[in-house]
Amino acid sequence: MPQRRVITGRSQEPRQRFAEELRTLRVGSGTSLRALGERLGWDWSLFGKMEKGETLGSPEVVQALDQHYGTPGLLLALWELAAGDHTQFRERYRRYMALEAEAVSLWHFAVGVPPGVLQTPGYAREVLAAGRLKGKELEQQVKARLSRRDLLEGEDAPHFRTILSETVLRTPLRDAVAWREQLAHLVEMSERPMVAVQVLPHSAGPHSLSHTDVMFLRVPDGRTVAYVESASRGDLIETAGQVENLQQMYDAVRDLALPPDESRKYILRVLEEVPCEPST
């Protein structure tokens, strides 16, 4: 097994540096991707994607690679740097936004908050402020988020579907008036012919997207790409196999969700539970 080597300045970008190290170690050991997969018990294509920088893999995979190559802690340290690289997050998000602007259809699943294209000003401001934004930066981010609503306007607007976990509807804003406006906006948007809103009730039980916000985009050339997002990072996924796996998960969740008409009635019932603006 190769000995742990000193990290060089070969690449200054954490994600690329991680991918380079993986490939260098494998090639140096004379091991093919297929053989590596067989030895470690993962699909060999995963290691190919990691070496191309298409995915980082999980900590468990990286630890297994560290053990295999005899580089205790090296790959895991590089993985942690790559996973926390906000520059790459911004680059991937910019590419996602470019693809979103040209998409002919979009479908989405929300774990905890409605998608940006369906957020009201009051909702966007309170959620962004909860992320410790304030002052001028907060207002800039609110403005940027609200500009995304234009995506669903006009004759050429794409078809849009969102499945909202019941958690989205049961996590109110502190401002009851703003919360009523957000729920009313969801109802209004759900009545548009090119927008479908579905609710996934808690009674549906555990499902494959329990911790995953995902947006699928079908672009003009017929491809479908996916953007998976958490509180701290986002990943743009363009490889067909990975997108297909996510689509199968999404389809399973959609089968559990309420139909659009029932979902609209559900949101209206939640809206009725919210106190009206107090009289002054």
Side-chain angles (χ1 to χ4, degrees):
M1 297 291 180
Q3 296 299 310
R4 177 169 177 167
R5 294 176 290 110
V6 176
I7 300 177
T8 70
R10 188 164 55 250
S11 174
Q12 299 301 312
E13 191 277 295
R15 193 181 183 100
Q16 183 181 348
R17 178 70 181 87
F18 176 63
E20 286 178 356
E21 189 70 17
L22 291 175
R23 178 167 177 77
T24 299
L25 286 167
R26 182 181 60 78
V27 172
S29 69
T31 306
S32 68
L33 286 169
R34 193 174 297 276
L36 184 62
E38 291 174 353
R39 291 176 188 176
L40 297 185
W42 276 279
D43 190 316
W44 65 270
S45 64
L46 169 63
F47 298 112
K49 292 168 186 173
M50 291 171 70
E51 290 183 9
K52 292 177 183 177
E54 295 175 356
T55 184
L56 291 174
S58 68
E60 292 76 16
V61 172
V62 178
Q63 287 174 326
L65 287 168
D66 257 333
Q67 183 175 0
H68 174 73
Y69 291 127
T71 55
L74 171 62
L75 294 177
L76 188 59
L78 291 173
W79 179 90
E80 290 172 345
L81 288 172
D85 181 31
H86 298 294
T87 299
Q88 283 299 297
F89 176 91
R90 289 193 295 270
E91 287 298 324
R92 290 192 296 274
Y93 190 69
R94 277 196 288 268
R95 173 157 172 71
Y96 162 77
M97 291 296 289
L99 291 169
E100 183 185 78
E102 65 179 18
V104 296
S105 65
L106 309 93
W107 54 108
H108 171 266
F109 175 72
V111 174
V113 299
V117 292
L118 295 183
Q119 290 183 17
T120 59
Y123 190 95
R125 181 169 287 102
E126 187 165 320
V127 169
L128 289 168
R132 298 184 179 181
L133 293 178
K134 57 184 179 180
K136 183 178 180 180
E137 184 179 7
L138 172 61
E139 295 308 314
Q140 288 175 338
Q141 290 298 316
V142 170
K143 183 177 180 180
R145 179 161 298 186
L146 294 180
S147 70
R148 296 184 61 203
R149 304 204 306 179
D150 294 341
L151 183 72
L152 303 183
E153 301 295 336
E155 295 181 357
D156 296 328
H159 183 274
F160 178 73
R161 177 182 301 276
T162 184
I163 302 173
L164 307 176
S165 166
E166 184 176 345
T167 300
V168 175
L169 305 178
R170 297 297 181 185
T171 308
L173 299 176
R174 289 187 292 271
D175 184 338
V177 175
W179 181 229
R180 285 185 61 85
E181 290 174 349
Q182 176 62 66
L183 292 173
H185 183 65
L186 290 176
V187 173
E188 177 187 347
M189 293 300 294
S190 73
E191 294 171 344
R192 295 193 178 189
M194 296 296 287
V195 176
V197 178
Q198 293 182 252
V199 174
L200 180 69
H202 288 155
S203 59
H207 57 86
S208 55
L209 295 177
S210 295
H211 306 289
T212 306
D213 270 77
V214 60
M215 177 78 86
F216 296 95
L217 312 174
R218 180 162 292 155
V219 292
D221 65 8
R223 290 182 306 123
T224 297
V225 301
Y227 189 76
V228 178
E229 191 169 15
S230 68
S232 60
R233 61 176 290 107
D235 281 304
L236 179 62
I237 299 173
E238 301 185 69
T239 54
Q242 287 181 289
V243 172
E244 176 62 25
N245 287 338
L246 282 168
Q247 282 186 278
Q248 291 178 9
M249 295 179 189
Y250 185 88
D251 289 343
V253 170
R254 182 175 173 180
D255 289 342
L256 297 171
L258 300 177
D261 286 347
E262 291 185 30
S263 295
R264 186 179 303 113
K265 293 175 183 176
Y266 190 97
I267 299 171
L268 282 168
R269 289 198 297 271
V270 175
L271 178 58
E272 290 173 357
E273 299 170 5
V274 181
C276 295
E277 182 178 4
S279 58
T280 56

